[in-house]
């Protein structure tokens, strides 16, 4: 195993609030030493990190790796390659596969396969209900024993409040976070984008903001009553931010994430019927977008997650209403977030950015990640925060190329990514 000495970087470790120019030694797969003026020892590879951040590997708690069953969209290997290219060292994969990850055997299988096939660490979010049909809660004890870190029906949100309440009670008993995509299907049925001026102009059916907020309120009320940890996925509405703020103030165990695309884009991106701008929840209004930014700045929104959702070109080539929801995000997330941050009147600090993308998401899902502590496994990313680069989908590692950021000039990129001290990505 190779050892490394990372020199002259800006070390950012939100776990200890450390922001300092220093060097980092990686030895035997672990973080061995941190300090100024470290000199490479015999056999160590020197990496000059001048102008770069040295941060704990990024953690994406919301990705779709599509295995088993949909390997034409993505695999554990290609999804993992996309992750490390984007600076991510740990990801949490969602259970809406074919078949869904609703039993311990499948959870074991994906974990074991990911260990062999994926260059990044993969944690499994199991289903919340059997077959993700929203009717019968899963066996949470068995799922937890098999190594699931949370439960979610993501794209198939539980519609019955009674079932959700029972699922929360069950998950609370085994300390499993309940991770929810909040959508009242009676309000969003048949919609392919946000309901607003753009959908009216295009003649497309839209989903109102209330399709999200009605379920945020319901789930938060149930979480408060059952005591379970509720994590809300991909918040997309201004009122959603206010609801999370309210329930946090009430003392509910509630956390939430926002996706980079909801921070940068609005429903105007759908104007040319570009199916790469079709995702669920949909891109919303400028008012919503600005409220999400404020939610991040005020700490109401806890972390950033991509909802990396690969789809093959032939699937996205369908007419807008028929095309599947979702975009890839692992390789553009960092560049999008740093671009977005550079446009803010009061940008977040580098430490805050790393916290949003690594330390806090790791803490929320209780993953052994998000820290540069000496002795910890060396999951490390070296980021060039100022590098401007153009998104070329054909150069992506992901099997799918469905991104609305094609041709965009983003800001910031992972130069080197280490997982357990192994260099798994080095930018050209
Ligand atoms: Zn979702
Ligand atoms: Zn998702």
């Amino acid at each position: 195993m190779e050892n490394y000495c990372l020199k002259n970087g800006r070390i950012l470790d939100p776990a200890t609030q450390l922001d300092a120019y220093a060097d980092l030694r990686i030895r035997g797969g672990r973080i061995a030493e941190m300090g100024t003026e470290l000199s490479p020892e015999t056999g160590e590879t020197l990496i000059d990190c001048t102008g770069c951040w040295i941060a704990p590997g990024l953690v994406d708690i919301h990705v779709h790796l599509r295995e088993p069953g949909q390997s034409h969209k993505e695999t554990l290997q290609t999804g993992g390659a996309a992750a490390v290219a984007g600076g991510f060292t740990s990801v949490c994969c969602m259970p809406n596969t074919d078949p869904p990850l609703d039993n311990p055997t499948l959870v074991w299988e994906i974990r074991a396969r990911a260990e062999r096939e994926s260059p990044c660490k993969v944690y499994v979010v199991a289903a919340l209900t059997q077959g993700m049909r929203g009717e019968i809660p899963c066996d949470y004890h068995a799922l937890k024993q098999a190594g699931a870190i949370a439960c979610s029906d993501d794209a198939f949100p539980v519609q019955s409040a009674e079932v959700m309440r029972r699922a929360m009670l069950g998950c609370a008993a085994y300390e499993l976070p309940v991770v929810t995509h909040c959508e009242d299907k009676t309000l969003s049925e048949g919609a392919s984008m946000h309901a607003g001026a753009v959908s009216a102009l295009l003649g497309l059916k839209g989903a109102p903001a209330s399709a999200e907020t009605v379920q945020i309120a319901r789930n938060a009320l149930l979480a408060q009553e059952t005591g379970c940890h509720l994590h809300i996925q991909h918040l997309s509405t201004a009122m959603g931010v206010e609801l999370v703020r309210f329930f946090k103030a009430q003392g509910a165990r509630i956390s939430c994430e926002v996706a980079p695309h909801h921070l940068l884009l609005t429903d105007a991106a759908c104007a040319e019927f570009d199916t790469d701008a079709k995702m669920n929840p949909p891109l919303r209004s400028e008012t919503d977008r600005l409220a999400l930014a404020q939610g991040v700045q005020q700490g109401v929104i806890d972390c950033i997650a991509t909802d990396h959702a690969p789809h093959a070109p032939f699937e996205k080539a369908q007419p807008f209403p028929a095309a599947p929801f979702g975009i890839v995000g692992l390789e553009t997330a960092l560049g999008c977030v740093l671009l977005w941050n550079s446009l803010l009147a009061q940008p977040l600090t580098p430490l805050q950015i790393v916290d949003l993308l690594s330390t806090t998401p790791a803490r929320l899902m209780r993953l052994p990640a998000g820290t540069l502590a000496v002795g910890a496994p060396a999951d490390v990313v070296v980021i060039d925060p100022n590098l401007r680069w153009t998104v070329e989908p054909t150069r992506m590692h992901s099997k799918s190329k469905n991104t609305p950021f094609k041709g965009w000039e983003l800001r910031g990129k992972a130069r080197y990514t280490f997982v357990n001290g192994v260099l798994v990505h080095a930018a050209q």
Side-chain angles (χ1 to χ4, degrees):
M1 155 166 267
E2 276 198 73
N3 297 324
Y4 297 89
C5 186
L6 277 48
K7 292 277 294 174
N8 311 317
R10 179 175 178 181
I11 296 195
L12 299 165
D13 187 9
T16 54
Q17 289 295 303
L18 177 71
D19 178 353
Y21 288 88
D23 310 327
L24 189 84
R25 199 187 306 281
I26 296 173
R27 191 190 291 148
R30 294 189 175 268
I31 293 168
E33 196 181 0
M34 194 188 293
T36 49
E37 313 278 313
L38 293 189
S39 44
E41 291 174 1
T42 329
E44 276 180 5
T45 305
L46 174 79
I47 294 185
D48 183 16
C49 300
T50 304
C52 291
W53 300 348
I54 300 174
L58 307 183
V59 176
D60 190 348
I61 61 174
H62 188 164
V63 306
H64 298 269
L65 295 180
R66 304 303 191 200
E67 289 205 272
Q70 300 169 322
S71 52
H72 66 286
K73 297 175 194 268
E74 194 77 286
T75 65
L76 295 166
Q77 195 277 322
T78 57
V84 296
F88 292 94
T89 54
S90 294
V91 303
C92 299
C93 66
M94 289 297 141
N96 57 323
T97 49
D98 185 15
L101 309 178
D102 65 354
N103 66 77
T105 314
L106 274 176
V107 172
W108 267 118
E109 209 172 290
I110 289 299
R111 288 181 61 214
R113 276 193 52 205
E115 196 139 332
R116 290 193 304 269
E117 296 166 28
S118 167
C120 75
K121 295 176 181 175
V122 175
Y123 296 92
V124 174
V125 176
L128 192 60
T129 65
Q130 291 179 28
M132 296 193 301
R133 285 187 295 271
E135 294 163 0
I136 306 166
C138 290
D139 181 346
Y140 303 121
H141 179 63
L143 292 173
K144 173 111 182 180
Q145 296 255 303
I149 54 113
C151 290
S152 175
D153 278 357
D154 191 1
F156 306 93
V158 175
Q159 297 299 297
S160 157
E162 191 275 333
V163 173
M164 181 54 95
R165 189 172 183 281
R166 261 191 295 143
M168 283 186 178
L169 283 170
C171 284
Y174 298 102
E175 280 297 319
L176 284 164
V178 170
V179 175
T180 64
H181 165 132
C182 293
E183 181 182 355
D184 184 317
K185 293 279 189 186
T186 64
L187 292 169
S188 63
E189 193 74 66
S192 51
M193 63 177 294
H194 171 64
V198 182
S199 67
L201 197 71
L202 298 178
L204 291 171
K205 183 156 189 234
S210 57
E212 171 173 285
T213 52
V214 162
Q215 269 216 354
I216 291 178
R218 184 202 75 177
N219 289 352
L221 287 164
L222 294 171
Q224 199 174 19
E225 197 171 74
T226 57
C228 97
H229 170 196
L230 169 66
H231 177 78
I232 295 168
Q233 299 177 292
H234 43 43
L235 204 64
S236 72
T237 57
M239 184 53 84
V241 177
E242 290 314 306
L243 287 167
V244 171
R245 192 196 309 272
F246 172 80
F247 282 101
K248 280 186 168 180
Q250 296 286 309
R253 288 176 72 197
I254 177 169
S255 58
C256 68
E257 71 194 28
V258 66
H261 48 267
H262 286 123
L263 292 173
L264 270 178
L265 300 172
T266 66
D267 56 353
C270 304
E272 308 282 312
F273 295 98
D274 178 5
T275 57
D276 287 341
K278 179 179 178 181
M279 68 284 284
N280 193 12
L283 298 171
R284 305 257 186 208
S285 69
E286 180 67 0
T287 310
D288 292 308
R289 190 185 76 84
L290 294 173
L292 293 169
Q294 207 178 55
V296 173
Q297 289 176 299
Q298 296 174 343
V300 178
I301 294 174
D302 298 270
C303 70
I304 295 172
T306 67
D307 192 9
H308 177 83
H311 291 293
F314 75 88
E315 295 166 321
K316 279 291 194 181
Q318 299 175 84
F320 201 93
F325 293 104
I327 64 167
V328 291
L330 283 166
E331 290 168 85
T332 50
L334 180 62
C336 281
V337 169
L338 291 176
L339 171 64
W340 164 76
N341 193 47
S342 74
L343 302 170
L344 294 177
Q346 287 174 308
L348 301 167
T349 65
L351 207 55
Q352 286 174 310
I353 295 286
V354 174
D355 193 12
L356 286 163
L357 284 163
S358 174
T359 309
T360 292
R363 177 174 55 77
L364 291 175
M365 293 299 132
R366 299 187 200 158
L367 309 180
T371 171
L372 290 176
V374 169
D379 294 348
V380 179
V381 61
V382 176
I383 294 167
D384 182 342
N386 297 312
L387 184 78
R388 288 161 197 267
W389 61 284
T390 302
V391 180
E392 295 172 61
T394 51
R395 298 188 60 180
M396 285 183 165
H397 297 75
S398 172
K399 209 165 195 178
S400 295
K401 319 292 176 194
N402 48 313
T403 173
F405 298 110
K406 46 191 174 282
W408 278 49
E409 190 187 72
L410 303 183
R411 195 162 168 161
K413 204 173 192 181
R415 282 188 59 193
Y416 302 98
T417 309
F418 299 87
V419 174
N420 283 334
V422 176
L423 183 63
V424 287
H425 165 74
Q428 303 307 314

